[in-house]
Amino acid sequence: MSLSGQKREGLGEDIEEAEEAFIDLEDPDVDILDESALPVAESSDDDDDEERGPDTAAGDASGNPQENEEAQQEAEMEDLNAAPDHEPERDDAFATFEAPEKKPLHTIAVSPQDPTIFAAAGEGEDIYVLRVEDKTTEPVLTATLKGHKDTVSLLSFSPDGYWLASGSLDSTIGIWSVGFWNRVYWFTDLYGEIMTLLWHPSSRILAAGADDTQAAMWNVDKGTLAMYFVGHRGAVTCTVWSPQTKKLITGSSDGSVSIFDPKTGEQEVHISKDLSPDKAGVTALQFVNDDQCVVGCEDGTLHVISLRSAKAVSHLEELHAQAIESLAMSENSLLLLTASCDTRVIVWNVADFTPRTILEVGESVIPAVWLKPYFVAAGCSDGEVRVWDGRSSEQQPLSVLMGHRRMVLSLATTRSVLASASDDGTAKFFRFTSTYV
């Protein structure tokens, strides 16, 4: 369509370089694969787990004390959805958007090319496009994008800022043109909840994973399915490109990580050994250098896999007790951030994977991000956003940003604005530059 033609103009060398580094979908030798023709990947060392399955299920009946203790701990975990509203002492936001009927907002994203454009979505099924200027007192609702039939849990702008991708519990992925705000493509090739969205740096390719155990990849210029990736036996929960974008790495609720060749769809490596000792599901992936990727799991354990050796090579100290919800590198690539509903945010030294500081937040944390080079922001279950200096061991936050009544589910940041989406049905926008500089 005409928009695709417009977006390619002026990109010249960048696109050619990205294509050279990745995959030429114009190549007639690259076929769109029929899912039924794909081979079933070998299960490697996971087979023993299936054999142990019935014994594990019978644990409580046999009076296994360890399993009874684990069941009790699980029952005692805070039900964040049932938590009461918190009445904030004040509202620190300079602008607030309220969703219709105050339906919970699960995700918020900001354009990488225009820091005034935000998108927010959640249980209302619609996507709200907001413009927030520096002098804004209220966000301007510029578009409402309709089409999904269930909760929109994921939003992601393409790196070049021309597309917005949305993922929903209704098994669909929408591709929307930025500026025109019309739906350009509707991908229905996966089944079940869309768990992860991942743009290729060229903005021509979108990958996604779902709870049907598969990942897929599309050519966004053409709107066509380019590849399926199969081999997991649980939901594909997280995805990341290798640093040179030659490989697609996927994490799954089956407790494994796979490395795929995006040109062929071949599962080159399947890693499950030496990750979580309980085969806990993988929740997050983050490369820390050209070779090593940190893997976060549902039981709070963190592991390091190597692309070159194709195995787990190291483990971080077991300091989290619940699922790793956030995993992010600092701007200078020296520090790693992890956050969990266990009420801890931890900053690690990347050089040797030792903990630099352990922040005892006192509230469950789902989203945590880096602000500027070394400030850490965490969205908490009491509706507050707390900010620390990630280099310091000081427990007292530099700032506590109030305004939400319920837990914060998503954060997005520009150089001067921190945006949050909450279960209370609002998106709030905070200024932070003057607070720390």
Side-chain angles (χ1 to χ4, degrees), residues 38-44 46 213-215 228-234 236 250 252 254 256 258 260 265 267 270:
L38 290 170
V40 177
E42 296 183 4
S43 59
S44 67
D46 286 330
T213 77
Q214 296 184 106
Y228 274 120
F229 303 96
V230 298
H232 286 296
R233 294 187 292 180
V236 178
T250 59
S252 171
D254 65 12
S256 71
S258 288
F260 291 96
Q267 184 189 44
H270 183 76

Side-chain angles (χ1 to χ4, degrees), residues 317-340:
E317 188 177 350
E318 294 188 18
L319 297 176
H320 282 296
Q322 294 184 33
I324 303 300
E325 300 287 352
S326 294
L327 190 56
M329 283 279 285
S330 63
E331 192 175 82
N332 58 14
S333 301
L334 298 178
L335 301 174
L336 179 71
L337 167 67
T338 60
S340 169

Side-chain angles (χ1 to χ4, degrees), residues 21-22 198 200-201 239-250 259-260 262 287 289-293 307:
F22 181 53
L198 178 67
H200 185 267
T239 50
V240 66
W241 294 110
S242 62
Q244 288 77 35
T245 65
K246 297 287 187 179
K247 308 295 179 185
L248 177 66
I249 295 85
T250 59
I259 301 174
F260 291 96
F287 271 93
N289 53 45
D290 287 345
D291 177 55
Q292 294 178 315
C293 180
L307 283 184

Side-chain angles (χ1 to χ4, degrees), residues 10-314:
L11 295 181
E13 295 180 3
D14 292 340
I15 293 300
E16 290 178 8
E17 183 177 337
E19 290 174 339
E20 192 173 54
F22 181 53
I23 176 173
D24 182 6
L25 294 176
E26 304 289 345
D27 188 339
D29 294 330
V30 176
D31 297 325
I32 297 175
L33 299 187
D34 180 355
E35 181 183 359
S36 63
L38 290 170
V40 177
E42 296 183 4
S43 59
S44 67
D45 55 5
D46 286 330
D47 293 336
D48 294 339
D49 292 62
E50 286 189 342
E51 296 174 3
R52 291 196 297 267
D55 294 334
T56 301
D60 289 341
S62 64
N64 185 311
Q66 180 179 357
E67 293 184 1
N68 287 335
E69 182 179 349
E70 291 174 355
Q72 182 177 354
Q73 290 176 349
E74 184 175 346
E76 292 174 352
M77 287 183 184
E78 181 184 7
D79 183 356
L80 297 180
N81 291 316
D85 282 9
H86 297 267
E87 186 64 42
E89 296 178 13
R90 60 184 186 270
D91 190 347
D92 297 314
F94 72 87
T96 299
F97 168 76
E98 186 175 298
E101 301 178 16
K102 286 195 173 182
K103 290 187 177 179
L105 293 175
H106 288 208
T107 178
I108 191 165
V110 60
S111 167
Q113 301 300 326
D114 186 345
T116 68
I117 295 178
F118 293 82
E123 290 184 14
E125 304 171 4
D126 295 339
I127 302 165
Y128 308 104
V129 180
L130 309 170
R131 183 171 290 279
V132 181
E133 306 279 357
D134 282 343
K135 298 180 180 180
T136 298
T137 55
E138 291 299 328
V140 177
L141 179 62
T142 61
T144 300
L145 312 182
K146 298 179 177 293
H148 288 294
K149 303 301 182 184
D150 205 337
T151 297
V152 178
S153 55
L154 298 168
L155 292 172
S156 180
F157 284 93
S158 61
D160 63 9
Y162 282 95
W163 309 108
L164 173 66
S166 57
S168 171
L169 273 62
D170 65 8
S171 307
T172 64
I173 296 171
I175 303 295
W176 314 81
S177 68
V178 173
F180 296 106
W181 299 118
N182 61 306
R183 191 178 71 204
V184 182
Y185 301 118
W186 201 239
F187 298 144
T188 59
D189 305 290
L190 295 173
Y191 301 94
E193 179 181 353
I194 305 301
M195 307 290 288
T196 174
L197 294 174
L198 178 67
W199 285 98
H200 185 267
S202 70
S203 299
R204 300 188 65 193
I205 301 295
L206 178 71
D211 64 7
D212 67 348
T213 77
Q214 296 184 106
M217 183 176 72
W218 296 266
N219 178 336
V220 177
D221 279 345
K222 294 182 176 180
T224 54
L225 176 67
M227 197 68 64
Y228 274 120
F229 303 96
V230 298
H232 286 296
R233 294 187 292 180
V236 178
T237 56
C238 46
T239 50
V240 66
W241 294 110
S242 62
Q244 288 77 35
T245 65
K246 297 287 187 179
K247 308 295 179 185
L248 177 66
I249 295 85
T250 59
S252 171
S253 62
D254 65 12
S256 71
V257 173
S258 288
I259 301 174
F260 291 96
D261 182 341
K263 292 184 178 181
T264 64
E266 178 186 358
Q267 184 189 44
E268 297 182 336
V269 177
H270 183 76
I271 303 171
S272 60
K273 184 178 180 181
D274 294 329
L275 295 181
S276 166
D278 299 321
K279 302 296 182 184
V282 175
T283 57
L285 298 167
Q286 175 65 60
F287 271 93
V288 295
N289 53 45
D290 287 345
D291 177 55
Q292 294 178 315
C293 180
V294 175
V295 179
C297 295
E298 287 181 349
D299 60 358
T301 59
L302 293 153
H303 316 275
V304 183
I305 63 170
S306 165
L307 283 184
R308 284 192 282 271
S309 62
K311 63 181 181 181
V313 295
S314 183

